[in-house]
Amino acid sequence: MSTLDGYVLTPDQFENARKRVAGLQARAMARGFTGQVSLSGQRGVVDDPGRHGQVRLVVVEAGVAGTPARYGDWQILAQLVARSGGGVAVRPAAGVKQIPEELIQSARAGGCEHCQSVRRRRCGYLIRREGEAMVVGKSCLDEVLGLRALFISVDDVIDHVGWGAAQFWPPAYTVETVAAHTYAVVAVCGWMPGFGPASTAAKVAAALSGFDDSDVGEQVQCALGDGWAAARGISERLARTPRAMRTGLDLDNGATRHQIPVLVRALRPHLPASITDVPA
């Protein structure tokens, strides 16, 4: 019933899209849609290739799931849109992964298997019922189904959630990644509370971004080896911290920056002995 289409999202982006698609489903049902549209996702952790594996991100590989709309015995599998250069573009219904090529051959000639006419058509639909599949023109679809049907394609869902639009989604770092960078920043710069430019939270965000090419930034990068070891050393303690710490941190979000002191306290036994101003 469901497939993953390979969209790699942040957890926040996936949750936002999931809610939007649920709203789309509700509005479509109010208009007579009989199919099912949703998002499926599989959470994972990836290395950011731009930082040579020093930054690990929490991601969700997501895709459109669902079942095609059914009207009586018929299911609408795809919309077939004529291309200006010839042929047709196949827009599968949400929940349909692949359309067998042999099922759309008649559409290439602009045919409609209901009225048996062949002419230049802007679009048609591939419909199926047990033991039978056919291509019908848009004007014949309502007659065949006996009502005015509503069709939702995978492309419609993608357009609705805006995945194709240029937008900024802050990365969700793994807790171990943030802990390693926090260790490195405190080991090099000491502990500074708050959220100002000189604070530990701001310096951790700068280290994670990879944009700090100063001498201090280089020292922080050099300290990351010990930072990863320290982060692994407190992994059990981190598992008992608030939920945000277990699902990935967005350091551009002020709420999650409040977790930095939690990490510093957890790292305290692993920091160099010369660091004495970390919170107890």
Side-chain angles (χ1 to χ4, degrees), residues 227-244:
W228 282 107
R232 287 190 290 271
I234 63 172
S235 58
E236 291 186 6
R237 181 171 177 179
L238 292 176
R240 297 192 295 272
T241 57
R243 179 178 178 273

Side-chain angles (χ1 to χ4, degrees), residues 3 10-11 13 39 72 81 110 152 181 200 269:
T3 57
T10 68
Q13 185 181 17
L39 293 183
V81 182
I152 298 180
H181 284 72
T200 297

Side-chain angles (χ1 to χ4, degrees), residues 163-219:
W163 289 352
Q167 51 187 317
F168 175 70
W169 289 94
Y173 301 101
T174 65
V175 177
E176 287 76 14
T177 293
V178 181
H181 284 72
T182 300
Y183 172 98
V185 166
V186 175
V188 171
C189 305
W191 159 250
M192 178 65 71
F195 304 108
S199 69
T200 297
K203 290 178 180 177
V204 170
L208 287 164
S209 73
F211 296 142
D212 186 357
D213 56 0
S214 66
D215 290 342
V216 171
E218 291 182 8
Q219 292 177 50

Side-chain angles (χ1 to χ4, degrees), residues 45-279:
V45 174
V46 299
D47 291 328
D48 184 334
R51 299 180 179 86
H52 310 291
Q54 290 185 327
V55 170
R56 307 203 79 197
L57 306 177
V58 181
V59 299
V60 178
E61 184 182 2
V64 179
T67 54
R70 182 181 293 276
Y71 298 95
D73 295 334
W74 292 100
Q75 272 188 323
I76 307 177
L77 295 185
Q79 184 183 59
L80 310 169
V81 182
R83 289 176 173 168
S84 57
V88 296
V90 180
R91 302 178 72 223
V96 174
K97 185 64 174 178
Q98 189 173 17
I99 305 295
E101 183 66 25
E102 61 269 17
L103 293 183
I104 62 172
Q105 286 303 316
S106 58
R108 296 187 184 282
C112 174
E113 296 175 70
H114 173 67
C115 64
Q116 299 299 316
S117 66
V118 177
R119 64 175 185 268
R120 186 180 182 86
R121 284 187 169 86
R122 186 176 66 84
C123 72
Y125 292 87
L126 174 62
I127 61 177
R128 179 177 64 186
R129 64 183 176 185
E130 188 174 354
E132 182 181 7
M134 62 187 298
V135 172
V136 298
K138 183 177 181 180
S139 58
C140 289
L141 180 66
D142 296 346
E143 183 177 342
V144 173
L145 300 182
L147 48 75
R148 189 172 183 82
L150 182 64
F151 172 78
I152 298 180
S153 72
V154 172
D155 291 340
D156 292 331
V157 179
I158 300 305
D159 290 343
H160 180 74
V161 299
W163 289 352
Q167 51 187 317
F168 175 70
W169 289 94
Y173 301 101
T174 65
V175 177
E176 287 76 14
T177 293
V178 181
H181 284 72
T182 300
Y183 172 98
V185 166
V186 175
V188 171
C189 305
W191 159 250
M192 178 65 71
F195 304 108
S199 69
T200 297
K203 290 178 180 177
V204 170
L208 287 164
S209 73
F211 296 142
D212 186 357
D213 56 0
S214 66
D215 290 342
V216 171
E218 291 182 8
Q219 292 177 50
V220 168
Q221 292 297 313
C222 291
L224 273 176
D226 291 337
W228 282 107
R232 287 190 290 271
I234 63 172
S235 58
E236 291 186 6
R237 181 171 177 179
L238 292 176
R240 297 192 295 272
T241 57
R243 179 178 178 273
M245 300 288 284
R246 303 195 299 271
T247 57
L249 288 175
D250 161 16
L251 264 293
D252 290 327
N253 183 326
T256 55
R257 285 197 185 193
H258 284 288
Q259 301 296 341
I260 294 294
V262 176
L263 287 175
V264 173
R265 286 193 292 271
L267 288 163
R268 193 178 191 210
H270 301 269
L271 288 165
S274 59
I275 304 297
T276 59
D277 55 348
V278 298

